[in-house]
Amino acid sequence: MSTIAENIAKVGARIREAAQASQRNLQDIGLLAVSKTKPADAVREAHAAGLRDFGENYLQEALDKQAALSDLPLIWHFIGPIQSNKTRPIAEHFDWVHSVDRLKIAQRLSDQRPAHLPALNICLQVNVSLEASKSGCSPEELPELARAISALPNLRLRGLMAIPEATDDIAAQHAAFARLRQLRDDLALNLDTLSMGMSHDLEAAIAEGATWVRIGTALFGARDYGQPTH
């Protein structure tokens, strides 16, 4: 096996063990390969090893990769901060957006989603750790924002996403992920998605209900240039 295929197998084993430990159905937990800064060839290799969902933070890099990999049946997730002037290509070229944190962006995505495509799957990013440096709406803003976005015609609100403050404290990891799950459940909008957990804390995320774990470093190795790890 190649290094990427070996890494995928190792992460898959971690996910299986975490699912078993928390008595969850493995089929309910998706592996989202975070391929930002990695070349198209790495994505192609990961697809050959069984992955089909890929997360990108940087729009132009993602569009270049999509063009290079157009022969493959990949599902593309946008997971980075969204500027207003970038919404049209995101609406046109992605299947999921995990990082919506304000109504203006959601309205633009809805307005600009091509009519021939299915509704765009949306997660609302919540700043559960209340870090000044992090994107995301506040827990207090979430209910009103979720209700407004759930009414937009070309979007399908699926759930919530968070990037909690990085910590090696297992109890703190669990607490942050449990808070996101509770916020989702309190909305009472029948949402099915929790996008949470990365290479260092996927076990805690799965224990608390993650349906997507966003894994980059553990699959592809260290970032090619000093970007925040996912």
Side-chain angles (χ1 to χ4, degrees):
M1 288 193 296
S2 71
T3 300
I4 289 177
E6 290 171 350
N7 290 345
I8 291 170
K10 290 175 184 175
V11 171
R14 288 176 63 189
I15 292 172
R16 282 194 303 276
E17 290 170 8
Q20 290 169 354
S22 53
Q23 297 184 309
R24 292 191 58 203
N25 187 340
L26 184 62
Q27 304 306 314
D28 295 334
I29 305 163
L31 172 54
L32 177 55
V34 178
S35 46
K36 65 176 182 181
T37 82
K38 298 300 178 181
D41 285 349
V43 175
R44 190 175 291 278
E45 195 174 335
H47 175 263
L51 300 188
R52 66 173 189 161
D53 290 273
F54 293 87
E56 292 282 337
N57 288 58
Y58 309 114
L59 180 59
Q60 190 55 55
E61 177 194 335
L63 295 176
D64 290 345
K65 268 184 257 191
Q66 289 175 359
L69 299 164
S70 60
D71 58 307
L72 298 180
L74 305 181
I75 298 174
W76 293 97
H77 301 241
F78 194 82
I79 59 176
I82 304 172
Q83 299 169 314
S84 294
N85 63 347
K86 303 289 179 65
T87 54
R88 183 175 297 279
I90 292 173
E92 292 173 346
H93 293 281
F94 287 82
D95 304 285
W96 284 74
V97 180
H98 292 235
S99 46
V100 174
D101 62 1
R102 55 196 191 279
L103 183 58
K104 175 185 176 182
I105 294 297
Q107 288 172 326
R108 290 176 65 90
L109 290 171
S110 178
D111 292 343
Q112 295 166 348
R113 182 69 169 174
H116 69 279
L117 293 178
L120 183 60
N121 294 299
I122 296 293
C123 292
L124 300 184
Q125 183 172 352
V126 184
N127 188 350
V128 291
S129 300
L130 303 178
E131 294 177 88
S133 62
K134 287 276 175 69
S135 300
C137 70
S138 71
E140 293 72 28
E141 296 168 328
L142 176 63
E144 182 178 354
L145 180 61
R147 283 192 294 270
I149 290 177
S150 66
L152 293 173
N154 299 312
L155 306 182
R156 183 183 174 197
L157 181 60
R158 298 292 298 270
L160 306 182
M161 183 270 259
I163 308 172
E165 185 174 9
T167 177
D168 293 327
D169 183 330
I170 303 301
Q173 293 175 5
H174 279 264
F177 295 136
R179 186 175 193 205
L180 191 72
R181 184 190 69 239
Q182 189 63 54
L183 288 169
R184 181 199 63 179
D185 294 349
D186 288 347
L187 291 173
L189 291 174
N190 199 29
L191 304 180
D192 62 7
T193 300
L194 287 173
S195 173
M196 61 189 194
M198 303 182 197
S199 297
H200 69 287
D201 57 9
L202 69 86
E203 286 83 3
I206 288 171
E208 299 299 340
T211 60
W212 286 112
V213 288
R214 306 183 308 273
I215 309 299
T217 302
L219 296 178
F220 298 109
R223 295 282 170 242
D224 291 343
Y225 51 90
Q227 300 295 344
T229 56
H230 254 76

